[in-house]
Amino acid sequence: MVGKGNFRKGGKQMLVDNFNFDDEVIIINDFDDCIIGKNYTTGGAAYSIEKIIEKIIIDLNLSFEEATEHFDFNIGCSYMGEYSPIFIWEMEASK
């Protein structure tokens, strides 16, 4: 189950889903396929919130509400310094 202890710091240069990350960057274990880019200012990993929630729903067999709460509590609120991941809603803006 994904929790605060399931993050990793790289050692040397990392290649994750075609993105090169420095060794200080924090990566969430088992969510490499949810990386959608890099933070322009820090070089940290940028994750799709929708992809993370979808993966939690499938992997943990949770409802959307339960998976969203799990993300909010265990992943989205985590801060481990300058190289912490950022989380982005990819949904289309309302018009």
Side-chain angles (χ1 to χ4, degrees):
M1 194 155 149
V2 175
K4 291 187 181 205
N6 290 316
F7 292 83
R8 70 181 186 268
K9 216 175 183 181
K12 303 206 177 186
Q13 194 81 349
M14 290 185 293
L15 180 64
V16 180
D17 275 6
N18 297 318
F19 293 101
N20 283 310
F21 293 107
D22 292 332
D23 61 346
E24 295 298 315
V25 170
I26 307 296
I27 301 294
I28 308 170
N29 287 331
D30 302 320
F31 286 88
D32 292 357
D33 55 335
C34 300
I35 295 173
I36 57 171
K38 291 173 71 170
N39 183 328
Y40 175 76
T41 56
T42 67
Y47 287 86
S48 164
I49 295 172
E50 289 91 342
K51 289 180 181 182
I52 291 174
I53 290 173
E54 182 179 333
K55 186 169 177 64
I56 292 169
I57 289 169
I58 293 167
D59 291 354
L60 301 179
N61 195 31
L62 298 177
S63 69
F64 176 79
E65 292 78 17
E66 292 168 326
T68 301
E69 183 178 328
H70 182 82
F71 168 79
D72 289 341
F73 185 75
N74 294 297
I75 301 172
C77 69
S78 297
Y79 180 76
M80 292 163 276
E82 178 182 359
Y83 296 103
S84 293
I86 60 170
F87 303 100
I88 300 169
W89 283 109
E90 290 187 275
M91 63 185 159
E92 191 174 318
S94 304
K95 294 182 182 178

